[in-house]
Amino acid sequence: MPSQPASTDGNIYWSSRLAFILAATGSAVGLGNIWGFPYKAGENGGGAFVLIYLACVLAIGLPIMMSEILIGRHTRKNPIQAMERMAVQSGHSPRWRWVGLMGVGAGFLILSFYSVIGGWALAYVFRALSGDFAEITPTVANEVFNSLVGDPERSMAWHTLFMVAVVLVVSKGVNSGLERIIKWLMPTLFVILLVLVGIASVMGDYGAAVNYLFNPDFSKLNSEVVVAAMGQAFFSLSLGLGAIMMYGAYLPDHASVAKTSLAIVGADTAVALISGLAIFPLVFAIPEMTTAEGPSLVFKVLPQIFGKIEGGGFVSVMFFLLLVIAAITSAVSLLEPVVSWLVTQKGMARDRASHVAGFAIWFLGLGTVLSFSSWSDERLTIAPRIGDRIFVLVDGKNFFEIVEFLTFSLMLPLGGVMIAYFVGFIASMKATRRQLADSPRAVYSTWLFMVRNVAPILGVIILLNMLGILDSIFLWLGLS
Ligand code: TRP
């Protein structure tokens, strides 16, 4: 009989270690892997980005994944209460709950644009159904995408549908239904992606793609690439806002935190890399395409792969449907912390909390919808002058880019740094050791070393860097 841990609001528990892995993988694998990774890699020069990304996944992502799971399992509470309780237990301030609260805010912001992109994927299910991708040319693929996002009403309608689906799942309570779906979703998605890689390698320039992704050009490396890769690692692994902590609260006692984390991190990274290998062969074979296409990259390239194959209509419907479902299982883990906060701290009923939060997030999402049409030229620059130096904090970003920047580059890494610091220095070692008791001692000491050093140091560097402070320190030291 699997253990049945106490739950915070009686709605989630995983029946086994596998069930937890499925749920956490369902959270991790989503638009971030298939839409985000290829476009970020393309915008940031390929190999150098990928290398830093992989380094961040291993050196920061894996230890923080373990940390979130162990905090969750130790306290069996939602992230806010979990941070508070574990801090108080070890004689520290209850204010650590603010890490959980920031996570609620980050989930809120991320979901607002996530739902818009999820809406695009949903729209593509119907495009695929109507056979629009057969024999599609690059020009037509461009038109299909631009007419969708350039029309705020259409884009908003799909965003609305996506959000309604997410609210429905969360308002009913995340439960074994999700578990069952993810069990077949992940393997099928994996297989389809591999098939796409196969086709892309025949149709496109596979060698150029591999070279681009895995042969780093270090001249492309700068602080922006590092920040982008680090943000992408957090985002793709669902780390930094307590989503995995929340699921960890329901992990059975006998499951290994280290092995479980490794499985999730491995699966998530594999899906991202495979998506890159499916997209880039074509990017290099089509003269009209550039790697720095931005958020539209995947939506313009994939239909062209489907258009070229026998039975492409069916495969494309399947693919976009699976992508939508993968996006929903991720979105659920973004909405759940917000809802759980309203339920446990604000005393709202789950149904009502889901509707209220869902509506507010939907509304904020309209800003992202408009960022791709009427507001695309509304840009914000913040560059205060301090002394004789100008600090460029925001360099001409539109609404979507601001929300993305706030979450990817600021809130998630900051959350990650706080969590790492917390388990490394605040939580009692007895408690953390007990959570990792089934792993060899070396695993524990390596983990402790990582959370105490690498993660916070990198976190601080990247934060300073982002604020332009690092550049100024270098300048001040006469180093640049
Ligand atoms: N990881 C998901 C993706 O790649 C998105 C996501 C879900 C997420 N939950 C999260 C990102 C929590 C950061 C934090 O699509």
Side-chain angles (χ1 to χ4, degrees):
M1 184 60 203
S3 70
Q4 188 164 339
S7 66
T8 49
D9 50 13
N11 277 295
I12 325 172
Y13 90 89
W14 314 115
S15 53
S16 64
R17 170 169 170 264
L18 179 67
F20 167 80
I21 293 185
L22 288 169
T25 311
S27 165
V29 175
L31 297 168
N33 306 63
I34 292 164
W35 159 77
F37 176 78
Y39 108 69
K40 298 263 164 173
E43 265 184 354
N44 290 288
F49 171 90
V50 175
L51 187 72
I52 305 280
Y53 169 76
L54 291 176
C56 288
V57 164
L58 261 189
I60 307 174
L62 185 60
I64 294 182
M65 174 79 65
M66 291 169 65
S67 309
E68 285 207 21
I69 297 176
L70 78 78
I71 297 172
R73 190 170 70 174
H74 172 79
T75 55
R76 304 242 180 253
K77 295 270 172 216
N78 77 27
I80 301 170
Q81 299 167 320
M83 295 298 290
E84 177 174 320
R85 155 132 0 159
M86 204 165 178
V88 170
Q89 274 175 357
S90 43
H92 288 84
S93 162
R95 288 212 197 95
W96 277 96
R97 83 169 85 83
W98 278 95
V99 176
L101 275 167
M102 184 177 71
V104 170
F108 190 97
L109 291 175
I110 291 176
L111 188 50
S112 80
F113 68 78
Y114 203 85
S115 166
V116 175
I117 317 295
W120 297 351
L122 194 54
Y124 269 55
V125 175
F126 290 87
R127 291 276 105 181
L129 267 176
S130 63
D132 284 4
F133 297 155
E135 302 296 326
I136 198 170
T137 59
T139 325
V140 177
N142 262 324
E143 275 164 17
V144 169
F145 181 80
N146 293 340
S147 73
L148 168 67
V149 305
D151 179 349
E153 275 137 47
R154 258 173 74 196
S155 188
M156 180 188 82
W158 293 112
H159 160 56
T160 311
L161 266 180
F162 185 90
M163 207 56 219
V164 166
V166 177
V167 167
L168 269 179
V169 177
V170 172
S171 64
K172 298 288 166 253
V174 191
N175 53 32
S176 52
L178 215 55
E179 198 178 305
R180 271 200 303 275
I181 292 176
I182 298 166
K183 206 177 268 178
W184 61 259
L185 172 75
M186 288 303 150
T188 322
L189 192 64
F190 212 77
V191 170
I192 294 199
L193 276 171
L194 283 176
V195 171
L196 290 184
V197 174
I199 301 162
S201 67
V202 178
M203 274 176 69
D205 191 341
Y206 190 68
V210 171
N211 187 45
Y212 180 72
L213 289 174
F214 298 114
N215 191 5
D217 170 0
F218 288 108
S219 70
K220 299 248 169 68
L221 197 59
N222 57 33
S223 59
E224 250 165 68
V225 172
V226 176
V227 173
M230 164 133 170
Q232 177 63 23
F234 273 103
F235 186 84
S236 189
L237 294 169
S238 294
L239 294 176
L241 67 71
I244 298 290
M245 200 186 291
M246 175 184 82
Y247 283 179
Y250 306 91
L251 180 66
D253 285 317
H254 56 79
S256 158
V257 171
K259 282 189 207 151
T260 308
S261 304
L262 208 55
I264 302 163
V265 169
D268 186 74
T269 309
V271 175
L273 294 178
I274 293 173
S275 302
L277 286 176
I279 305 280
F280 282 106
L282 233 67
V283 174
F284 289 110
I286 305 169
E288 289 92 335
M289 299 242 41
T290 63
T291 51
E293 181 66 37
S296 61
L297 180 71
V298 182
F299 289 97
K300 288 180 178 170
V301 173
L302 284 178
Q304 301 181 49
I305 308 186
F306 297 124
K308 288 286 186 338
I309 53 173
E310 197 78 30
F314 174 73
V315 183
S316 60
V317 175
M318 275 295 284
F319 175 81
F320 283 110
L321 198 59
L322 294 182
L323 181 58
V324 169
I325 301 173
I328 291 176
T329 61
S330 300
V332 161
S333 78
L334 289 162
L335 183 55
E336 182 63 28
V338 186
V339 168
S340 166
W341 170 65
L342 290 173
V343 170
T344 58
Q345 321 307 101
K346 303 282 158 203
M348 246 186 226
R350 169 165 280 268
D351 249 29
R352 195 177 144 65
S354 316
H355 298 153
V356 170
F359 179 79
I361 292 168
W362 171 84
F363 186 76
L364 186 68
L366 299 180
T368 292
V369 168
L370 294 173
S371 296
F372 291 92
S373 49
S374 5
W375 287 4
S376 62
D377 293 324
E378 304 287 336
R379 287 176 184 276
L380 179 79
T381 299
I382 305 178
R385 194 188 181 97
I386 301 173
D388 54 0
R389 179 126 171 82
I390 294 174
F391 291 87
V392 183
L393 299 183
V394 180
D395 56 340
K397 290 186 172 5
N398 66 25
F399 187 92
F400 161 66
E401 288 160 353
I402 292 170
V403 180
E404 201 198 21
F405 167 80
L406 263 179
T407 51
F408 266 72
S409 313
L410 205 66
M411 295 170 95
L412 296 182
L414 190 61
V417 170
M418 301 289 278
I419 289 166
Y421 183 82
F422 181 79
V423 287
F425 298 103
I426 301 295
S428 83
M429 278 179 67
K430 208 170 124 230
T432 54
R433 178 79 190 110
R434 197 172 61 233
Q435 289 300 323
L436 293 172
D438 57 342
S439 299
R441 247 215 123 72
V443 170
Y444 181 75
S445 37
T446 312
W447 168 80
L448 196 63
F449 177 82
M450 296 306 261
V451 293
R452 280 190 173 170
N453 295 284
V454 182
I457 290 175
L458 262 179
V460 169
I461 288 179
I462 276 146
L463 286 174
L464 292 179
N465 188 355
M466 243 179 27
L467 298 171
I469 296 170
L470 195 66
D471 288 335
S472 342
I473 293 177
F474 280 169
L475 198 75
W476 183 63
L477 291 173
L479 286 178
S480 77

